[in-house]
């Protein structure tokens, strides 16, 4: 492999994390869902008895923690989520002239990443907002953020569900390598709580809101304390119906109810678990092999944060042993699944102790299916 000179080398030079102030515990979610279930099942007792109406199934906090590792999640707005007559966040609609909710949380994370990277708006040429949902089709949230930060150049939004962050970092890497941008600001404002079905025990506990941001830039222009060279990127997608969210701009044209459960996040969780774990392990082993490394050469794994059992299984397949929390940090116990942002939260909280030359792997896996990884090396 040809070694790159410093104007060709691409680094991650700063990362930012914004955590919402509101926490929702498993117990709170379970109490709300179970109260809703009692009310619904009582109201529909005759229909349930006749087999015409499906009863709402009750949830269990012990099940949630054991099955997923999740203990709590942060949400942008807590009001409304636990109200059994609503069970969705009560978010105020903002006028066209106001800053959008998603741009607001994107800006919190973006400013922190820019500070960490010692960059101002004048140093950045592109903004990518990449996440599981954007709150509108246009104007792009990225262009709104670009405007707020006084950045020249261009911005665009992209959606790749759980792999939105890694896939956007891939694009940023390519832009910097190609010379179309000196530095790219990649932001993942994961405002997912509006799409969670808090009445469904299979999925009501899975997600939390957060925003992360990363600066990707030319190594010769980077000045921050903690820099990670991007040695290589690897992506894979494979179509699957097992994770879906059907709400979209066509919803109002259908004759049915635009707010039915299938319009919200839903999945065949067990199938996802079984299918994605081997795919992710193979993907990571292959990515390392292509660059002449073995899993044991990796100092830190910043893995996607959906389920602790998935991460342990994938790590065990790769390493032949269980990694400790220092090798493969877990943040989902506090943050839950934050769609694409999970591995970036792990990176944000666990990168400053790495030594020059040490390797790390950032990886996402989820809906699509989609898997994305970056092989990183701590710079001197
Ligand atoms: N309480 C009590 N019992 C429950 C509950 C609950 N809350 N939930 C399910 N059960 C029951 C089930 O009904 C089932 O009962 P039965 O045996 O009678 O049928 C039993 O418990 C066992 O259920 P499962 O087999 O489903 O349990 P698992 O051990 O598989 O755990 C998980 C369920 C935690 C969902 C697990 O399967 C999992 O994590 N799978 C991987 C999922 C995953 O990673 N998905 C990726 C999703 S993220 C993504 O890609 C999209 C990004 C967009 C995000 C934005 C969304 C808003």
């Amino acid at each position: 492999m040809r070694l790159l000179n410093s104007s060709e080398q691409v680094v991650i030079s700063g990362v930012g994390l914004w955590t919402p102030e509101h926490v929702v515990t498993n117990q709170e979610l379970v109490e709300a869902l179970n109260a809703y279930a009692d009310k619904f099942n009582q109201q529909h007792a005759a229909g349930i008895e006749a087999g015409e109406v499906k009863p709402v199934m009750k949830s269990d906090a012990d099940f949630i923690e054991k099955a997923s590792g999740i203990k709590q999640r942060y949400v942008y707005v807590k009001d409304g989520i636990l109200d059994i007559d609503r069970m969705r966040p009560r978010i105020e609609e903002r006028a066209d002239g106001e800053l959008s909710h998603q741009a607001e949380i994107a800006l919190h994370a973006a400013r922190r990443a820019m500070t960490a990277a010692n960059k101002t708006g004048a140093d950045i040429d592109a903004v990518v907002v990449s996440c599981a949902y954007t709150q509108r089709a246009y104007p792009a949230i990225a262009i709104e953020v670009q405007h707020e930060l006084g950045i020249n150049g261009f911005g665009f939004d992209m959606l790749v569900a759980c792999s939105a962050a890694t896939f956007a970092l891939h694009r940023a890497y390519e832009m910097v390598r190609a010379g179309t941008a000196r530095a790219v600001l990649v932001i993942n404002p994961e405002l997912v709580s509006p799409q969670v079905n808090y009445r469904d025990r299979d999925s009501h506990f899975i997600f939390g809101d957060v925003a992360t941001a990363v600066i990707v830039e030319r190594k010769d222009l980077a000045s921050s304390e903690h820099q990670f060279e991007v040695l290589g990127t690897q992506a894979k997608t494979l179509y699957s119906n097992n994770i879906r969210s059907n709400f979209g701009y066509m919803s109002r044209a259908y004759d049915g109810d635009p707010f039915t459960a299938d319009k919200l996040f839903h999945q065949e969780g067990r199938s996802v678990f079984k299918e994605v774990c081997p795919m992710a392990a193979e993907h990571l082993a292959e990515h390392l092999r292509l660059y002449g490394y073995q899993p044991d050469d990796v100092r830190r794994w910043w893995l996607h944060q959906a389920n602790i059992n998935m991460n342990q299984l994938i790590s065990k397949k790769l390493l032949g042993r269980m990694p400790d929390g220092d090798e493969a940090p877990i943040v989902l116990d506090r943050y839950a699944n934050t769609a694409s942002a999970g591995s970036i939260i792990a990176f944000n909280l666990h990168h400053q102790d790495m030594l020059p030359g040490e390797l790390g792997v950032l990886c996402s896996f989820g809906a699509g299916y989609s898997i994305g990884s970056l092989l990183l090396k701590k710079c001197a």
Side-chain angles (χ1 to χ4, degrees):
M1 207 177 305
R2 186 176 73 88
L3 290 176
L4 304 176
N5 66 45
S6 71
S7 67
E8 293 174 308
Q9 285 172 314
V10 178
V11 293
I12 286 178
S13 57
V15 58
L17 166 66
W18 173 78
T19 303
E21 63 181 287
H22 306 291
V23 170
V24 180
T25 64
N26 290 347
Q27 195 55 38
E28 286 178 298
L29 278 184
V30 166
E31 279 169 18
L33 175 47
N34 291 354
Y36 168 76
D38 282 339
K39 189 174 175 186
F40 179 93
N41 295 344
Q42 216 170 3
Q43 279 172 349
H44 297 86
I48 292 170
E49 180 72 24
E52 289 155 8
V53 177
K54 271 190 168 174
V56 174
M57 302 298 282
K58 288 195 175 180
S59 187
D60 179 85
D62 289 339
F63 169 88
I64 294 171
E65 192 171 335
K66 196 155 173 253
S68 68
I70 296 167
K71 295 179 180 162
Q72 61 164 50
R73 71 283 302 132
Y74 296 94
V75 291
Y76 178 56
V77 170
K78 185 168 178 176
D79 182 31
I81 290 176
L82 304 174
D83 172 354
I84 65 165
D85 295 319
R86 182 178 174 92
M87 301 191 86
R88 58 199 160 94
R90 188 175 279 106
I91 299 177
E92 264 176 50
E93 196 166 358
R94 290 184 178 170
D96 285 359
E98 292 180 276
L99 187 68
S100 68
H101 291 284
Q102 212 168 11
E104 179 183 311
I105 70 168
L107 282 163
H108 293 317
R111 290 195 171 105
R112 286 169 197 181
M114 288 164 70
T115 301
N118 297 327
K119 295 287 142 188
T120 67
D123 305 313
I124 296 169
D125 294 325
V127 179
V128 184
V129 162
S130 191
C131 43
Y133 302 96
T134 50
Q135 71 171 77
R136 60 168 187 253
Y138 45 82
I141 306 293
I143 301 176
E144 191 180 359
V145 170
Q146 175 197 359
H147 171 74
E148 292 294 320
L149 293 172
I151 292 172
N152 279 319
F154 60 95
F156 60 90
D157 295 347
M158 57 184 273
L159 305 180
V160 201
C162 282
S163 288
T166 54
F167 277 42
L169 290 171
H170 294 180
R171 304 291 78 78
Y173 166 77
E174 286 159 2
M175 284 189 243
V176 176
R177 276 296 301 270
T180 50
R182 293 163 301 160
V184 183
L185 169 60
V186 174
I187 321 172
N188 323 107
E190 292 291 10
L191 184 39
V192 293
S193 53
Q195 267 285 304
V196 175
N197 185 352
Y198 291 106
R199 295 175 174 151
D200 169 34
R201 75 166 179 178
D202 288 332
S203 60
H204 74 131
F205 59 88
I206 297 179
F207 295 100
D209 299 326
V210 81
T212 52
V214 176
I215 302 286
V216 178
E217 64 173 319
R218 273 170 46 180
K219 179 164 174 32
D220 62 334
L221 300 176
S223 62
S224 65
E225 193 183 345
H226 300 285
Q227 296 174 27
F228 287 79
E229 185 185 352
V230 182
L231 298 182
T233 66
Q234 191 84 354
K236 169 94 183 157
T237 53
L238 186 74
Y239 187 64
S240 167
N241 269 320
N242 283 336
I243 315 171
R244 291 192 70 100
S245 177
N246 290 327
F247 186 79
Y249 81 100
M250 304 268 285
S251 297
R252 75 179 279 268
Y254 302 142
D255 287 332
D257 178 356
F259 298 111
T260 48
D262 85 293
K263 303 295 184 297
L264 302 174
F265 170 90
H266 57 286
Q267 69 171 352
E268 294 296 329
R270 182 76 350 215
S271 305
V272 174
F273 194 112
K274 281 192 191 148
E275 290 170 14
V276 168
C277 287
M279 273 172 62
E282 276 164 37
H283 172 97
L284 288 167
E286 175 67 3
H287 190 174
L288 288 168
R289 199 188 56 73
L290 282 172
Y291 288 83
Y293 295 110
Q294 302 289 327
D296 276 329
D297 297 327
V298 176
R299 166 73 183 86
R300 186 152 291 149
W301 302 86
W302 301 286
L303 294 179
H304 183 58
Q305 304 281 321
N307 181 311
I308 194 170
N309 304 316
M310 279 177 106
N311 287 22
Q312 288 177 346
L313 190 62
I314 291 165
S315 307
K316 207 169 164 208
K317 275 181 194 287
L318 280 164
L319 298 163
R321 61 181 168 79
M322 218 55 121
D324 60 31
D326 184 63
E327 273 179 295
I330 293 292
V331 302
L332 63 88
D333 52 344
R334 270 190 296 151
Y335 282 88
N337 182 337
T338 48
S340 76
S343 58
I344 312 293
I345 303 172
F347 178 77
N348 181 298
L349 298 176
H350 302 276
H351 72 281
Q352 295 190 354
D353 60 330
M354 284 181 62
L355 301 174
E358 285 185 335
L359 292 179
V361 171
L362 192 72
C363 179
S364 65
F365 36 86
Y369 297 135
S370 58
I371 304 182
S373 53
L374 289 96
L375 180 56
L376 305 177
K377 185 166 85 173
K378 180 78 195 272
C379 299

